Amino acid sequence: MKLLIIEDEQSLLKSIVQYFNQEKFLCETAVSYEDGIRKIEDFQYDCIILDINLPGGSGLQLLKYLRQNKNKDGVIIISARDSLDDRITGLDIGADDYLTKPFHLSELNARVRALIRRKKAEGASILETGVLKVDLSSRTVVSAGQNMPLSKIEYDLLLFLMTNKNRVVSRQAIAEHIYDGPSEQVPSSDFVYSHIKNLKRKLKERGCHEMIQTIYGLGYKLTP
Amino acid sequence: MSKTLQQKNTRYLLIWLPLVLLTGTVLFYLLMSAHAGHMAEEQLELKQENIRNAFLANPDTLPRSIAGEYDLLAGGSVPAGLLHKQRDTTVYYPSNKRWVAFRILTEPYTIRGRNYQLTTYISSKEITHLIIKVFIAEVFVFILLLVAIVIINRKSSGLLWRPFNDTLKKVTDYDIVDNESLALSTETGIREFDQLNQVVATLIGNVNQAYRNQKQFVENASHELQTPLAIIRSKLDLLINTPQLTEETAGLLADITEANDRLSQMNKNLLLLTKIDNHQFPGQTSIDLSGAVEKLLANYQHFYDGELPLVWKSIQTGISVTANASLLEVLLNNLINNAFVHNIPHGYVTVSLSPHALIIENTGHPIAGGTDQLFERFKKGREQSKTTGLGLSLVQRICSIYHYRLVYTHMQNIHRVTWVFSQP
């Protein structure tokens, strides 16, 4: 799958590229407005990750140009500006998602994959990892043919870990992902522990031992 | 204790003016008496002259004595020491059986070789009466003067100080957060106040400018911080996924991640605070408070799953408040979050919502020192490394925008926040 990352901050760009390369994505990069336009015209991408503040023009302008040319590539805006207005403007112009800096790469990964899934499957879709099968439209999980009832938080948690499978996901990233209040008010990530514990217990009951590993005090990793 | 300028002025007037008037009265009395004495002397001397002339003209027919007018005595019994000067005496009037006060003057004469002593009389009653009457009139005039001076002084100082009081009121009402310039007249008609207003206006202008600069600085700094924070975060996400991670490095990474996360939170809160100060949350809607509080509490119980303090709630339904939805969410979140975060093991939280106020009470550690600073930025009740120290100041800013009242009290280890969102 092919990604275009338009971001002028070299260091951040490098991180994103490295992360998605590890996820077996093909990554193209652009560091300015003109650069971005050229890359858009040359190829088709499964997803474009777009910064708003770019040298040579705004990411929103670029997005407008893209949509005017009937380009249907998925676009995720990443921006340091976090106001409802910015968000609405971005989504109005035709962005598929909006992520505020600073974000966790695992979160960006989850968003990119969700977007690609939506674009490809057009509705019903099943996510499979090992013995786990998640029906995304009905939000149900089946483990080795057995139904596994989960709470909303546990479902979100499992899906997030599955999307980032074989990777260590930090507690903070999980906390931000599953908390649905104002982003300034994410409570301390301590609460993640008890939900992981519940999820682990339920997985164990269905025969999925050690599927979720605790990585020291850092975070968690799901291996199929 | 401080008194108003007018009270002070009146007090000085009331202390000093009567003193001055009293001295004036005494002086006036002395002068009057002196003048009256002088007048009596002239009258007595005139009488002496008249009677001497009359005696010279008719030495035989002129009566030697008329009671209350004169005595003309050959030889004379008045000692030399009493001659030539006024004396007081009384004369008995048998007709109405009264003693009447007189002023007398005795002069010796030698007429045709014989010695005489002529004593002339004038009644001193009239003069005394006159002095008393004039004196009383004078006291009345002085009292009138005193009252008039005090009243005029009060009135005129009220008028004179009006521009000053206007300025004082405007400066008192001034709120730096609104960042409005003060409209102070520089044509009050009084040069000192013109000057004062000009100086105050300039000062406020400078203060506003400094405040704007500072706000701008915080905003810019917070915005600029987002990118490096994002870089650190992304690098940490990569680092924790490197193979051969030892427990030691993992521990270090966990601490860095946690600190970086707190930094991000703090920065977001600072940005939010700046946005609130910049009035970037204009829209207002009617919000179902009962529902919002219930939902928040449910969320909390959801997230914390079992490790939560006990929650007692009494929430009246159908209570709403008009405000910006985002701001209200921040406010409620912070108030409720505080009650949970600053709790103790096996503690409790009570939440009660009535038509005018939301009261949140929780167990917690006693707070050392005063609670006044609790709402200031970066003030923490205790060593709580997991909080940003900005929550309560956010709450306070939001309350001041909507003129809500926020009362914080604590007794031993029970903390109580009362948020009054409407007037009963």
Side-chain angles (χ1 to χ4, degrees), chain A residues 19 23 106-107 109-111 113 117 127-130 132 134 136 148 150 152-175 177-178 192-193 195-201 203 210-215 218-224, chain B residues 240-241:
Chain A
Y19 197 91
E23 291 283 306
S106 45
E107 180 66 31
N109 182 31
R111 304 274 183 117
R113 287 185 182 274
R117 268 200 314 265
L127 192 68
E128 263 192 272
T129 303
L132 289 179
V134 178
L136 295 169
M148 186 162 81
L150 295 175
K152 182 188 173 292
I153 290 179
E154 285 158 3
Y155 174 83
D156 289 342
L157 183 55
L158 181 64
L159 196 61
F160 189 53
L161 287 175
M162 280 171 73
T163 320
N164 287 292
K165 63 173 185 259
N166 295 319
R167 285 192 153 274
V168 181
V169 182
S170 70
R171 266 187 303 135
Q172 287 80 7
I174 296 174
H177 180 77
I178 60 182
V192 171
Y193 171 75
H195 294 293
I196 288 277
K197 202 176 69 186
N198 290 342
L199 188 59
K200 271 181 167 179
R201 182 175 45 78
L203 284 169
E210 304 300 320
M211 196 170 197
I212 298 174
Q213 293 164 263
T214 306
I215 310 297
L218 270 179
Y220 306 93
K221 182 156 107 174
L222 185 141
T223 29
Chain B
I240 60 174
N241 274 296

Side-chain angles (χ1 to χ4, degrees), chain B residues 30 41 72 116 227 325:
Chain B
L30 292 176
E41 190 164 313
L72 184 62
Y116 293 94
T227 308

